[in-house]
Amino acid sequence: MAALPHRKTDQTAGLRESLRSDRLALEQNYLLHGKSARLLSAHSRLIDQYLRRVWQNIAMPDSISLVAVGGYGRGELYPKSDIDLLILLDGEPDSVLQQKLHDLIGVLWDIGLEVGHSIRTVAQCLNESADITVQTNLLEARLLTGNANLFRELHDAVRQHLDLRRFFSAKQREQQQRHKRFLDADFNLEPNLKESPGGLRDLQTVTWICRAAGIATRWADLADAGLITPAEARQIARHDTLLQTLRIRLHYLAKRREDRLIFEFQTSLAEQMGIAASANRRASEHLMQRYYQTKRAVLQFNTILLQNLHDHLFHETPTVHPLNERFMVVGTLLDIREGTDDTSPLRKRGAGGDLSPPHDKSLFDKTPSAIFELFLLMEQHPELTDLSAKTLRALWRAQHQIDAAFRKDPLNRARFMEILRQPQGVLHALRRMNQYGILGAYIPAFGRIVGQMQHDLFHVYTVDEHILMVVRNLRRFSVPQHFHEFPLCAQLLGKFARPEVLYIAGLFHDIAKGRGGDHSQLGKKDARAFCKLHQLSHDDTELIVWLVEQHLSLSATAQKQDMSDPDVIGKFAAKIKNDRYLVALYLLTVADVRGTSPKVWNAWKAKLIEDLFRQTRRYLRDGRVADQLGEIRRAATTTLNLYAMPPDTYQLLWAQLDDSYFLDHEAQEIAWHTRLLAFKVNTATAIVKARLSRTGEGLQVMVYCPDQRALFARICVFFARMNYTIVEAKIHTTQHGYALNSFQIMEATRSKTVYRDIMTYIEFELTQQITQAKPIAPAATGRVSRQLKHFPISTEVEIKPDHKGMYVLSLIAGDRPGLLARIALIMDQHDIRLHRAKINTLGSRAEDVFWISGAILAEPEETRVFLDELREKI
């Protein structure tokens, strides 16, 4: 909207101050009583009064109308929401009316009303209503002031032009598109209260269709109409109220229209709502768990109500055929057969036309074992797309049937295992069971983590959704169309007997999050109890329990330890009972890391994890670490022979390289370095070369030059300014005093820059900076991520000697641009030499390991000063 002129009259100023005062009084009153519906209605009435007053002050003609539309039209105006208005004309405006309309909008903005307005005739409204959003707004139109006859003409015209079936289909399609749009952020830690699946829009979609059909839109009225039960009406009203409360308070806290539950306000919201922290969880985590439970319930109600409304309005007769004595197929939906269930999606009308209440007993009340039978049938019949509303309702109400007796029933235990052993549909079954509260009821430990947040700076899903993402990733390894993503995983899973043990390990690996203590140790107890109840074999039980206990070990070893050290491989291999254990741990690890966040997994992590898997497998097969040094030298020589480079051409270079260099690098890296340096061993100028990483993501950069003070710090600052992250650094000093450093780098934010241009830039600019050796200006620290700002983590720094005469510095801190460069500068200031670094970034969390040496490290007091400085400056 173009800038509107300000009219600083006394009257306008008075209205602006009066409106501000009245809105403040509403806010203070709301914070006292906390009644959301009352606030939304009162705010709408207040704005009505000011709009009518301005309309009268400007003396708008009686022939036109001022109409509220959208949320304001239905009397639900949130504190910072736009005020949607329609100015309804009886014809094309002349110049006098155009000026008045201009003045009206200007005054409204001047007094502090953020209006969104349209100016149309009835005919124009009807033309625009081809857009489903406009048509929906017009259905909620409410006359504020002006020509009542003209408004009635609009109301009647909108009703006459409404095609109910088309409207229903359009709103369903609109909802599906919205859900798809928010799919990636569905269970992220900052959900949208209005637009996310299970948000206010899902409830409004139902009421819009009811309004279009002429059905009352209050939840209690829908119960009277037989679309839901009174108990369901009360439940949905409670969930609606929670979403309204969160959105109202969010607007007041943010002092703007903010519909996302962003980190900045989660703690304040929890405090306002009287939610306290517990021993192991923040108040904000309790708040968000309540939100996620409401979200799940809203999705459930939305599905039931849309199905019921469709049946109620259109009376279609789908094809029906029985599956067994308890279930049948209606169209593409699984339904409970008539005679086995006394609840129907729409209550039957009695002789007098009244709606008779539903009976108390459903199939699941009489035969609880049918609950798991239902999910098994959904797996076995892929033509089924969903459950009928009647079945959904019965399933929702049957949660209480899953009690201790249900869990002890051998038939139910056998059926649950059968669900996990099906060749297809396992993930969908588990997701449905979680959505309808069945999974958490059957496995109470799982129920406790439903909707539980994880403020560890790298998980972007709630615990239950992360667990199901891990199962999803495991299942994906077995789907042919996804074999290309992880060929090794697909090959391994294809030969893995009884893959259900992996799914069970996936279900339990994080099930003890939030209890306090080591979740791996607590979770393995739950896993063992589950295996015993479900009569799994001793071998499978021990594997599952071990996987839950060790599920972090492979990833931690690969990303934080020196895998060129045979002792590291031997120590890790000692934990592995046999090849089946190793394969299972590898598959679970890949699925787990991929399931934390789309940004955490990358090709470099994939390579590290696969390298450790292959080295450990070889160790288990041969009973020892192979002659790694000899093998690497021979493999590098073979590669160089392909480039017509006989050994005598690089004998001088290799004579300057000690065994640690060959053990630290792969054969193809050594061959690349050798081809570049064989004839430049004693060069006086720096050599910087870059190539595409063999992992398929990022770049590999080699730096060779006479060693100089703070070289590593200079390189770190250079890459930090480029917005590139160093994920691994191998620092080597040759026998004749040259630095031969190798870096694996990845772009922090993926852009469309051509790698060839980046490589050319690195090779030229970094060479210049090393050659000129100017004083190092620290890289900009950059902005801290919002999540790290509001949920900071304590910096942890630890240093230990290793068996090679070096020291291992482990660091955990909140990640930010320039972090590694600052660490490198501090090391240089204390004359500490870096030999190797593994840089592990998990979302906003850095977990880095450095192999270092230096005289001060042998002195406890000087080491303490160094560590204190690291903590302070990081």
Side-chain angles (χ1 to χ4, degrees):
M1 181 185 292
L4 295 166
H6 294 281
R7 298 159 179 80
K8 296 184 178 178
T9 63
D10 291 341
Q11 186 180 45
T12 301
L15 283 173
R16 181 170 60 248
E17 180 57 30
S18 175
L19 175 62
R20 189 197 66 79
S21 177
D22 287 343
R23 278 179 154 173
L24 181 59
L26 274 180
E27 178 180 356
Q28 292 172 340
N29 188 38
Y30 172 74
L31 293 177
L32 286 174
H33 66 67
K35 304 292 185 183
S36 301
R38 186 195 301 179
L39 180 280
L40 298 176
S41 179
H43 191 210
S44 295
R45 291 194 302 271
L46 177 68
I47 301 306
D48 290 353
Q49 296 169 14
Y50 279 90
L51 287 170
R52 291 176 183 132
R53 189 169 174 182
V54 172
W55 185 272
Q56 291 168 1
N57 289 345
I58 296 180
M60 299 301 291
D62 295 336
S63 59
I64 66 176
S65 306
L66 182 63
V67 180
V69 293
Y72 178 41
R74 64 176 175 270
E76 293 181 1
L77 186 59
Y78 285 83
K80 304 299 179 182
S81 290
D82 289 345
I83 301 161
D84 294 329
L85 298 173
L86 167 65
I87 301 173
L88 190 59
L89 307 181
D90 60 346
E92 291 298 324
D94 57 21
S95 59
V96 175
L97 180 54
Q98 286 179 347
Q99 184 59 49
K100 280 186 173 292
L101 292 170
H102 184 78
D103 293 343
L104 172 69
I105 301 303
V107 171
L108 294 179
W109 277 88
D110 286 347
I111 69 172
L113 294 177
E114 296 185 353
V115 297
H117 72 283
S118 57
I119 303 172
R120 297 187 181 117
T121 63
V122 172
Q124 289 169 339
C125 286
L126 292 179
N127 287 336
E128 293 294 330
S129 67
D131 183 320
I132 192 65
T133 303
V134 174
Q135 188 175 37
T136 304
N137 278 343
L138 292 176
L139 279 174
E140 297 181 309
R142 176 171 58 89
L143 179 65
L144 294 170
T145 187
N147 190 338
N149 290 331
L150 184 61
F151 175 75
R152 278 193 294 272
E153 181 185 344
L154 172 67
H155 178 271
D156 294 343
V158 169
R159 284 287 170 186
Q160 289 172 5
H161 284 76
L162 178 69
D163 181 332
L164 184 57
R165 184 179 289 274
R166 176 184 171 278
F167 183 82
F168 187 100
S169 299
K171 297 312 290 185
Q172 273 196 315
R173 187 164 54 253
E174 181 183 68
Q175 176 174 289
Q176 291 164 358
Q177 292 169 348
R178 175 171 50 79
H179 283 191
K180 186 176 181 180
R181 194 165 67 248
F182 280 83
L183 182 63
D184 290 340
D186 183 8
F187 280 92
N188 76 10
L189 306 184
E190 295 182 297
N192 190 300
L193 291 168
K194 183 179 177 182
E195 303 288 350
S196 285
L200 286 163
R201 273 283 185 256
D202 282 3
L203 296 176
Q204 290 162 2
T205 296
V206 172
T207 59
W208 285 329
I209 292 171
C210 289
R211 190 182 296 274
I215 303 172
T217 56
R218 292 172 60 249
W219 302 121
D221 295 336
L222 292 183
D224 291 338
L227 292 164
I228 53 178
T229 67
E232 290 167 343
R234 291 190 293 272
Q235 287 183 57
I236 199 169
R238 286 198 299 271
H239 294 304
D240 194 4
T241 297
L242 177 62
L243 293 174
Q244 290 176 347
T245 299
L246 288 172
R247 192 179 180 208
I248 289 169
R249 291 184 182 275
L250 194 54
H251 279 203
Y252 281 139
L253 281 170
K255 301 186 184 334
R256 65 178 185 270
R257 179 181 175 179
E258 178 59 80
D259 294 332
R260 295 171 304 149
L261 275 171
I262 58 178
F263 301 126
E264 181 179 352
F265 302 117
Q266 289 177 8
T267 300
S268 299
L269 271 172
E271 290 173 356
Q272 282 194 10
M273 297 175 68
I275 299 173
S278 59
N280 301 311
R281 295 171 61 191
R282 296 178 173 94
S284 60
E285 292 174 334
H286 288 290
L287 168 75
M288 295 304 294
Q289 186 164 30
R290 188 182 300 182
Y291 160 76
Y292 283 117
Q293 290 165 351
T294 281
K295 175 177 186 169
R296 189 178 64 173
V298 168
L299 280 170
Q300 174 86 351
F301 283 125
N302 173 271
T303 303
I304 290 173
L305 282 167
L306 288 182
Q307 280 195 33
N308 281 351
L309 279 168
H310 186 276
D311 294 343
H312 178 69
L313 296 174
F314 305 123
H315 306 292
E316 294 178 346
T317 306
T319 57
V320 177
H321 68 270
L323 277 180
N324 58 29
E325 63 272 19
R326 287 169 296 281
F327 294 99
M328 61 184 178
V329 178
V330 179
T332 61
L333 305 178
L334 183 64
D335 199 0
I336 296 171
R337 289 188 68 174
E338 297 296 336
T340 62
D341 186 80
D342 296 325
T343 63
S344 59
L346 294 173
R347 286 180 270 164
K348 302 288 190 292
R349 291 188 180 275
D354 61 316
L355 289 163
S356 59
H359 299 291
D360 293 329
K361 292 291 184 180
S362 75
L363 166 65
F364 303 128
D365 292 315
K366 294 180 289 188
T367 312
S369 60
I371 293 174
F372 281 170
E373 181 186 10
L374 174 151
F375 293 104
L376 190 58
L377 288 171
M378 289 294 293
E379 289 180 302
Q380 294 171 343
H381 295 271
E383 70 276 10
L384 295 172
T385 59
D386 210 336
L387 306 178
S388 71
K390 177 173 67 175
T391 308
L392 284 172
R393 171 184 282 112
L395 194 60
W396 185 264
R397 293 172 61 193
Q399 294 177 55
H400 70 279
Q401 294 290 339
I402 303 179
D403 53 15
F406 182 97
R407 296 183 204 104
K408 290 178 181 177
D409 189 327
L411 176 59
N412 294 329
R413 294 176 184 175
R415 279 225 174 110
F416 187 78
M417 290 306 302
E418 194 176 356
I419 288 170
L420 294 180
R421 289 171 175 144
Q422 291 300 302
Q424 58 187 6
V426 173
L427 176 64
H428 291 305
L430 291 174
R431 284 197 186 279
R432 284 192 176 99
M433 292 171 79
N434 188 38
Q435 171 67 32
Y436 307 142
I438 302 301
L439 189 57
Y442 186 65
I443 306 176
F446 190 92
R448 288 194 288 271
I449 50 88
V450 171
Q452 182 178 314
M453 296 179 70
Q454 304 184 78
H455 287 308
D456 54 15
L457 304 182
F458 59 93
H459 282 89
V460 299
Y461 304 106
T462 56
V463 181
D464 61 310
E465 184 61 15
H466 163 67
I467 285 174
L468 293 178
M469 285 291 288
V470 172
V471 176
R472 170 252 193 195
N473 291 337
L474 289 167
R475 292 289 295 174
R476 197 177 177 93
F477 297 152
S478 65
V479 179
Q481 57 262 43
H482 300 302
F483 282 178
H484 66 283
E485 296 177 347
F486 295 93
L488 177 59
C489 291
Q491 177 189 348
L492 294 172
L493 189 62
K495 298 177 180 178
F496 193 88
R498 302 182 302 285
E500 66 271 11
V501 302
L502 296 174
Y503 312 149
I504 296 170
L507 282 174
F508 281 89
H509 82 285
D510 274 355
I511 206 165
K513 284 281 185 78
R515 293 190 208 167
D518 186 338
H519 75 278
S520 299
Q521 294 298 323
L522 296 172
K524 78 173 188 178
K525 295 178 182 178
D526 293 333
R528 185 176 294 280
F530 175 90
C531 293
K532 182 178 179 181
L533 286 172
H534 291 80
Q535 298 182 337
L536 271 74
S537 69
H538 173 76
D539 288 347
D540 286 350
T541 296
E542 292 306 310
L543 174 55
I544 290 167
V545 171
W546 181 84
L547 285 172
V548 174
E549 180 184 21
Q550 297 291 331
H551 73 271
L552 298 173
S553 62
L554 194 155
S555 175
T557 303
Q559 297 181 79
K560 296 182 181 181
Q561 296 194 43
D562 182 3
M563 288 194 295
S564 67
D565 184 347
D567 290 343
V568 169
I569 304 301
K571 186 177 179 181
F572 177 72
K575 300 178 182 180
I576 314 296
K577 185 175 180 179
N578 54 41
D579 189 67
R580 178 172 170 81
Y581 273 56
L582 177 62
V583 169
L585 182 59
Y586 173 69
L587 292 171
L588 180 61
T589 300
V590 174
D592 187 18
V593 178
R594 285 191 72 210
T596 57
S597 163
K599 296 180 180 179
V600 167
W601 182 262
N602 57 46
W604 181 245
K605 284 187 175 68
K607 180 182 182 301
L608 291 175
I609 292 170
E610 183 176 332
D611 285 350
L612 179 55
F613 167 75
R614 291 186 182 279
Q615 289 185 54
T616 307
R617 201 176 204 190
R618 186 172 181 177
Y619 184 96
L620 292 174
R621 183 191 67 201
D622 298 341
R624 60 182 176 82
V625 177
D627 176 18
Q628 198 172 357
L629 180 62
E631 285 193 1
I632 290 173
R633 283 177 171 269
R634 287 191 293 273
T637 299
T638 300
T639 301
L640 290 166
N641 287 339
L642 298 176
Y643 290 90
M645 289 187 69
D648 60 338
T649 60
Y650 49 85
Q651 185 175 4
L652 177 61
L653 174 65
W654 281 25
Q656 310 303 323
L657 306 175
D658 58 24
D659 290 349
S660 64
Y661 167 82
F662 289 95
L663 291 172
D664 276 353
H665 294 78
E666 295 181 14
Q668 50 86 13
E669 290 180 275
I670 295 168
W672 181 50
H673 293 171
T674 302
R675 286 163 46 220
L676 294 171
L677 304 176
F679 304 105
K680 301 177 181 179
V681 176
N682 296 306
T683 178
T685 58
I687 297 175
V688 178
K689 292 295 180 181
R691 69 174 183 176
L692 293 176
S693 171
R694 291 301 187 263
T695 65
E697 191 174 354
L699 297 172
Q700 199 170 15
V701 179
M702 184 208 72
V703 176
Y704 182 75
C705 64
D707 204 4
Q708 61 177 248
R709 181 74 182 263
L711 176 62
F712 179 65
R714 188 181 304 281
I715 294 169
C716 288
V717 170
F718 174 80
F719 286 130
R721 287 177 176 160
M722 286 184 63
N723 202 27
Y724 267 73
T725 298
I726 297 174
V727 295
E728 184 172 61
K730 299 174 184 176
I731 311 300
H732 185 76
T733 304
T734 67
Q735 305 280 8
H736 66 317
Y738 274 63
L740 176 50
N741 301 343
S742 182
F743 300 90
Q744 181 79 24
I745 65 172
M746 299 182 72
E747 196 170 6
T749 55
R750 297 173 186 178
S751 67
K752 295 183 179 179
T753 308
V754 179
Y755 270 135
R756 185 183 297 106
D757 298 337
I758 292 294
M759 290 160 59
T760 301
Y761 175 82
I762 290 172
E763 291 175 352
F764 178 80
E765 287 294 331
L766 185 53
T767 300
Q768 291 296 307
Q769 293 196 22
I770 293 171
T771 302
Q772 294 169 6
K774 294 180 179 179
I776 302 172
T781 57
R783 295 179 61 186
V784 177
S785 73
R786 287 185 303 103
Q787 188 176 6
L788 182 58
K789 180 179 178 182
H790 296 289
F791 302 105
I793 61 172
S794 299
T795 298
E796 299 177 23
V797 183
E798 183 183 38
I799 192 165
K800 292 181 179 179
D802 77 351
H803 64 281
K804 292 183 176 180
M806 291 188 288
Y807 290 83
V808 179
L809 173 66
S810 302
L811 180 145
I812 297 176
D815 191 35
R816 66 189 69 188
L819 174 65
L820 186 58
R822 290 201 303 281
I823 295 170
L825 286 170
I826 295 170
M827 287 183 181
D828 179 68
Q829 291 163 10
H830 288 269
D831 292 322
I832 289 176
R833 179 183 172 192
L834 176 70
H835 298 272
R836 186 179 184 135
K838 279 195 170 182
I839 314 303
N840 186 24
T841 304
L842 302 167
S844 297
R845 178 186 178 101
E847 296 186 1
D848 301 340
V849 183
F850 306 90
W851 285 262
I852 57 178
S853 61
I856 73 162
L857 299 176
E859 302 293 333
E861 182 59 27
E862 291 190 48
T863 300
R864 185 188 62 78
V865 172
F866 164 61
L867 294 180
D868 287 346
E869 185 176 350
L870 268 180
R871 292 187 188 96
E872 178 186 348
K873 294 190 175 181
I874 291 173

